[in-house]
Amino acid sequence: VGPYVLVAPNETRRKQLQQSKLSFAKKELDDLERWKKEHRPGPVTVVPQRLGGNKSEAQVRQNQQMILLQSKYQKKHKREEYVSAKKAAEEAEILKKKAIQREKAERLEVKKRQEEMQRREMFLEDQKYKTNELLNRLDMGLPKSDSCQIANPGPESTAWKRSHAYKQALREDENRRLEEMKQEQQRKAELMEFKQKQEEETRTRAHQKEQRRVNNAFLDRLQNKTQPNNIYQPGYTG
């Protein structure tokens, strides 16, 4: 550390600064007191008047008790409405989920039936192809009826007739099966459509019933609001 010079404080200057600060603070306090005196609120003048109503204390107490009973009844009514609305919403949600599951099950059943029909058709096609292939192999060694006329039919012509009759019977049986399958599929489709219509009508009736119940509850609340001082309301037991 290098050399330094210590300067003694000026006591006179210090006293002057302190005096000026004190005088400034005193001036501010005096200004504040003067402002408070100038802005002091004046006296309050109130016109004398008679307080109270035109009813006796007993009537006022009776009105208070009536209002309390009505408020209790309204709270109870609102609570019952809330519980019933919540229950109706839960039932509607359950019915909706059941309807969705029912539709899924019906679609799955239809899909299974379609797959079964496809397997049957493939099986019949394969059976028809194998039968025709077998009959064609049998026909290759037999003479045709239009190529030559045989006066006395032999065993070969008899076999050809039998094979031709067998082919015709197979075709008729196959056509009959296809027609029965088509009719069965049509009956199933009609039955499913009838069931869907019945379910739709049931849901519509339930929705209309719930809507009527909500409308009646709203009308009851509206009637209760229009008659606030009537203590003899529906459901009131005193």
Side-chain angles (χ1 to χ4, degrees), residues 124 127-135 162-178:
L124 291 175
Q127 187 178 10
K128 179 181 177 182
Y129 174 75
K130 290 182 179 179
T131 304
N132 291 332
E133 185 179 1
L134 176 62
L135 294 175
R162 286 200 301 268
S163 66
H164 183 71
Y166 180 69
K167 280 185 179 181
Q168 189 68 23
L170 284 179
R171 291 193 188 95
E172 292 177 356
D173 188 24
E174 184 179 358
N175 294 330
R176 181 178 56 80
R177 288 180 181 178
L178 290 175

Side-chain angles (χ1 to χ4, degrees), residues 110 145 193:
V110 171
S145 60
E193 184 178 1

Side-chain angles (χ1 to χ4, degrees), residues 9-26:
N10 191 350
E11 295 294 336
T12 305
R13 180 63 177 169
R14 181 183 293 177
K15 290 180 180 180
Q16 288 178 358
L17 290 173
Q18 290 178 354
Q19 290 293 332
S20 61
K21 289 180 180 180
L22 290 174
S23 61
F24 184 74
K26 185 178 180 182

Side-chain angles (χ1 to χ4, degrees), residues 31-44:
D31 293 340
L32 179 61
E33 291 295 333
R34 186 171 59 254
W35 184 86
K36 286 182 179 180
K37 290 179 181 180
E38 291 176 355
H39 294 81
R40 182 179 299 172
V44 178

Side-chain angles (χ1 to χ4, degrees), residues 38-97:
E38 291 176 355
H39 294 81
R40 182 179 299 172
V44 178
T45 58
V46 179
V47 178
Q49 58 182 354
R50 183 178 179 180
L51 301 177
N54 55 358
K55 294 182 180 180
S56 63
E57 185 178 358
Q59 292 177 351
V60 173
R61 296 294 183 187
Q62 186 178 1
N63 291 335
Q64 288 178 353
Q65 188 177 5
M66 188 182 298
I67 292 172
L68 180 62
L69 291 174
Q70 288 180 357
S71 64
K72 288 182 179 179
Y73 174 75
Q74 289 176 358
K75 288 181 181 178
K76 181 181 178 181
H77 188 61
K78 287 182 180 178
R79 185 166 58 253
E80 291 176 354
E81 286 183 352
Y82 172 75
V83 172
S84 61
K86 185 178 179 181
K87 186 177 180 180
E90 291 176 355
E91 291 178 355
E93 187 67 21
I94 291 172
L95 291 175
K96 183 178 179 182
K97 290 181 180 179

